[in-house]
């Protein structure tokens, strides 16, 4: 603004103070000067009000008619705190780092400019301190230059430091165009070179070392010499013409590529040393249902509570939210996928784009008589829906690593849960569902939020989590319950209700599963009175794996049947004892005899047992 008004020659009101008002004693020169100042003040004020935003223009009252006063009022709106500005400048000065890409002179002058600003704010930095700050911020290629400065007794001024740094920068630029190499001999000594090569090969590395030690000339490689070619067309190493001193290359921060030419490929070596190629890293999706990982585990010798021997998982790649279904056989995978697809697409209002699985027969298809794998019902259904299938290569289950790792985690959790409890092995299906329920609501390394939050948009609640297999006193719904019947049933917690807000329990007395939301958990009670956990072995059934399934996994199996028999309780839950046989006649209830009512002669006890501590 000042430059604009100066170019228009109307900045008199900004440079000179306001003259006295005109009166009868005013001279003609005073009148002329007053007119020029008044015109300059009026035009300057109009231009400044027009050039600034309305928000700042409205902050100044209309009573201000002097251009200088108007500028002073605007400047108050942009007043700075000296302490804040000092802290900002000092932090910028200390954190400055030269990346070695720009001009070193401009970089040092920029640091000097920040020091000058700090000096104007009454924070003066000495030249010695500024020199040390500059040296500390220099890149790694100036390390030798720093050592040279530290070895000297004299101190450098800032101007001397700039001069020396510029010289060092020029030297580094010159070194980048030079390379160390062996000086080749003249052509008339070619026969002598071939003779020396044979002597060096017969006498071992010591003779060869003597030949190399004579090289003292070196230069940096040019752009056309970035590659080192070993061999002269016959497959023999030419020591004198093509050997570079590679030990000198790292000091120049150069990367040289070594390429072999005209060497025959050894097929026998490939047959004996070929390894699997492993691709590191994967591209993550950016939204839910863009990619679904799926896999089937089973069969297992011991069927679950409802007779299933397999389970199938569907994991979303973006959120890592997983669905788990228990199935009787692998052919049910398509029906389960249709159920899963209909639910998630309706709930999320999005469509599944890709499905990644192995090349098992239940996904890809069976082999025909010619040995070719034909697309099966699952693959044809994906094609009808427009879903892109992604199959793993044969013998490479790691390509479906998300599903494989999820299955392993689920089985590890089930193994620990059953080992810690005293429940029968047929409940591994309920433990599996509980493990999947927990994994959806706990943090994962693959995402910044929990899978449940990425899937539903709401944060999960963990208040209703309880120890799997712990004793409980649950109150089921009994419409025909008698007046004096017990309100609760001694049972064990085995999971969370799928379609309602409640829990699932196992009643060992009648060997049934029921759901209810009214219960009392006893999570501090030792399970079964055991001193150590059971040794649970999970294995797949030998010889019953479906053909063409590349995925081999294991599932929890308990060695022997566990029969549970509840002990009589008197308002106190007793843990169940494992491996205890139950006779069928012991479970039948004896009919009660009609006896006259009488008062109890038992000793009165407190409602709260001494086994618990009550905090009032």
């Amino acid at each position: 603004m000042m430059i604009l008004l100066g170019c228009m020659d109307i900045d008199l009101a900004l440079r000179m103070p306001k003259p006295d008002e005109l009166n009868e004693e005013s001279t003609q020169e005073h009148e002329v000067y007053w007119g020029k100042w008044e015109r300059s003040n009026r035009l300057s004020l109009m231009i400044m009000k027009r050039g600034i935003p309305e928000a700042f223009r409205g902050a100044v009252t209309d009573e201000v008619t002097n251009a200088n006063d108007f500028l002073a009022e605007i400047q108050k709106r942009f007043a700075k705190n000296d302490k804040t500005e000092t802290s900002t400048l000092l932090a910028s000065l200390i954190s400055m780092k030269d990346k070695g890409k720009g001009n070193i002179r401009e970089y040092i002058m920029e640091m000097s400019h920040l020091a000058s600003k700090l000096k104007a704010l009454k924070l003066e930095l000495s030249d010695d301190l500024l020199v040390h700050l500059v040296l500390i911020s220099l890149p790694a290629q100036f390390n030798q230059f720093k050592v040279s400065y530290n070895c000297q007794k004299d101190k450098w001024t800032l101007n001397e430091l700039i001069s020396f740094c510029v010289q060092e920068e020029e030297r580094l630029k010159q070194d980048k165009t030079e390379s160390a190499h062996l000086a080749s001999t003249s052509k008339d000594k070619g026969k002598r070179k071939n003779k020396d090569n044979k002597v060096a090969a017969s006498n071992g590395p010591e003779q060869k070392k003597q030949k190399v030690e004579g090289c003292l000339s070196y230069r940096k490689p040019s752009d056309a010499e970035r590659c080192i070619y070993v061999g002269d067309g016959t497959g023999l190493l030419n020591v004198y013409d093509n050997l570079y001193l590679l030990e000198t290359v790292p000091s120049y921060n150069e990367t040289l590529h070594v390429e072999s030419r005209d060497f025959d490929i050894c097929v026998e070596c490939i047959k004996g040393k070929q390894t699997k190629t492993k691709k590191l890293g994967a591209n993550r999706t950016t939204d839910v249902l863009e990619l679904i990982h799926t896999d089937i585990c089973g069969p297992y010798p011991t069927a679950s509570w409802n007779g299933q021997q397999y389970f199938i998982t569907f994991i979303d790649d973006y959120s890592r939210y997983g669905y788990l279904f228990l199935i009787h056989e692998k052919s049910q995978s398509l029906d389960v996928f249709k159920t899963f697809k209909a639910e998630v697409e309706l709930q999320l209002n999005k469509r599944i784009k890709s499905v990644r699985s192995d090349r098992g027969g239940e996904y890809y298809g069976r082999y025909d008589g010619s040995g070719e794998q034909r697309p099966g019902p699952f693959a044809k259904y994906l094609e009808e829906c427009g879903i892109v299938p992604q199959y793993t290569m044969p013998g490479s289950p790691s390509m479906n690593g998300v599903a494989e790792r999820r299955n392993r985690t689920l089985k590890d959790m089930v193994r620990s849960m059953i080992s810690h409890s005293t429940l029968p092995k047929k409940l591994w299906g309920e433990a599996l569902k509980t493990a999947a329920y927990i994994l959806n609501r706990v943090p994962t390394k693959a995402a910044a939020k929990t899978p449940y939050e990425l899937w539903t948009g709401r944060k999960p609640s963990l208040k209703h989590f309880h120890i799997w297999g712990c004793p409980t006193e649950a109150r089921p719904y009994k419409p025909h319950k008698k007046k004096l019947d017990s309100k609760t049933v001694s049972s064990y917690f085995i999971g969370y209700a799928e379609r309602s807000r409640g829990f699932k329990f196992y009643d060992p007395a009648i060997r049934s599963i029921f759901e209810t939301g009214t219960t009392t958990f006893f999570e501090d009670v030792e399970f079964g009175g055991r001193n150590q956990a059971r040794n649970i072995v999970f294995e797949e059934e030998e010889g019953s794996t479906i053909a063409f399934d590349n995925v081999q996994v294991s599932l929890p199996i308990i060695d022997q049947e566990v029969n549970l028999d509840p002990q009589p309780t008197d308002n106190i839950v007793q843990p169940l004892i494992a491996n205890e046989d139950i006779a069928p006649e012991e479970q039948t209830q004896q009919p009660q005899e009609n006896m006259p009512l009488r008062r109890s002669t038992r000793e009165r006890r407190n409602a709260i047992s001494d086994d618990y501590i009550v905090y009032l």
Side-chain angles (χ1 to χ4, degrees), residues 545-573:
T545 303
I546 302 299
F548 318 123
D549 189 358
N550 297 323
V551 181
Q552 299 295 331
V553 292
S554 58
L555 184 87
I557 298 295
I558 304 179
D559 293 338
Q560 55 185 352
E561 180 70 18
V562 180
N563 296 322
L564 304 178
D565 183 19
Q567 301 297 328
T569 59
D570 187 9
N571 297 332
I572 300 178
V573 177

Side-chain angles (χ1 to χ4, degrees), residues 23-283:
N23 51 34
E24 298 178 355
E25 298 179 357
S26 299
T27 62
Q28 185 178 0
E29 296 179 356
H30 183 68
E31 292 179 357
V32 172
Y33 177 75
W34 169 262
K36 291 182 179 180
W37 190 94
E38 182 65 23
R39 178 177 179 274
S40 173
N41 181 69
R42 185 177 69 258
L43 294 178
S44 299
L45 197 60
M46 291 173 57
I47 293 174
M48 286 189 294
K49 288 184 177 181
R50 183 67 178 174
I52 64 176
E54 184 179 359
F56 298 112
R57 184 170 65 249
V60 182
T61 61
D62 295 336
E63 298 178 356
V64 179
T65 58
N66 193 324
N68 266 328
D69 297 341
F70 184 83
L71 284 179
E73 291 294 331
I74 295 297
Q75 189 175 5
K76 290 180 182 179
R77 301 298 188 274
F78 297 91
K80 295 182 180 180
N81 190 342
D82 292 345
K83 293 182 180 180
T84 304
E85 188 174 2
T86 301
S87 301
T88 304
L89 293 175
L90 188 59
S92 301
L93 180 62
I94 296 176
S95 61
M96 285 187 67
K97 293 292 181 181
D98 184 21
K99 298 181 180 179
K101 298 181 179 180
N103 192 318
I104 190 65
R105 188 194 302 273
E106 295 178 358
Y107 171 74
I108 298 178
M109 293 301 296
E110 184 180 357
M111 294 190 68
S112 177
H113 179 61
L114 292 178
S116 301
K117 289 184 177 181
L118 290 173
K119 185 177 181 180
L121 295 173
K122 298 181 181 180
L123 181 61
E124 185 174 359
L125 301 179
S126 62
D127 290 343
D128 293 340
L129 179 58
L130 186 59
V131 168
H132 282 285
L133 290 177
V134 172
L135 290 175
I136 292 173
S137 63
L138 293 180
Q141 53 262 35
F142 284 86
N143 288 341
Q144 187 176 359
F145 178 76
K146 299 176 186 178
V147 174
S148 176
Y149 172 78
N150 294 331
C151 294
Q152 296 182 12
K153 295 182 179 179
D154 299 334
K155 296 182 178 180
W156 295 347
T157 62
L158 186 61
N159 294 332
E160 291 175 344
L161 177 63
I162 295 175
S163 176
F164 294 148
C165 287
V166 171
Q167 295 179 11
E168 181 68 13
E169 185 182 31
E170 293 296 332
R171 186 187 69 81
L172 293 175
K173 289 181 180 179
Q174 184 178 1
D175 289 344
K176 287 185 178 180
T177 60
E178 296 181 355
S179 172
H181 67 93
L182 287 175
S184 60
T185 58
S186 59
K187 293 183 179 180
D188 56 353
K189 297 182 180 180
K191 296 182 179 180
R192 183 177 178 181
K193 289 191 298 182
N194 294 334
K195 182 178 179 180
D196 291 340
N197 288 342
K198 296 180 180 179
V199 174
S202 61
N203 294 340
E206 296 183 357
Q207 182 68 18
K208 184 178 179 180
K209 181 178 180 181
Q210 294 178 1
K211 298 294 182 180
V212 178
E213 285 177 351
C215 174
L216 296 178
S217 62
Y218 59 91
R219 66 176 178 83
K220 293 288 290 184
S222 62
D223 294 337
E225 297 174 338
R226 297 302 182 191
C227 295
I228 301 176
Y229 302 102
V230 181
D232 57 357
T234 61
L236 299 177
L237 179 64
N238 195 328
V239 179
Y240 294 96
D241 294 336
N242 252 335
L243 185 61
Y244 284 73
L245 291 180
L246 299 181
E247 291 81 1
T248 62
V249 174
S251 62
Y252 298 105
N253 294 324
E254 295 287 343
T255 302
L256 300 182
H257 306 279
V258 180
E259 179 180 348
S260 298
R261 287 185 173 182
D262 300 329
F263 287 100
D264 295 334
I265 298 176
C266 180
V267 179
E268 288 75 12
C269 296
I270 296 177
K271 288 181 177 295
K273 302 178 182 180
Q274 182 70 42
T275 58
K276 287 186 178 181
T277 58
K278 185 177 182 181
K279 182 180 178 182
L280 300 178
N283 296 327

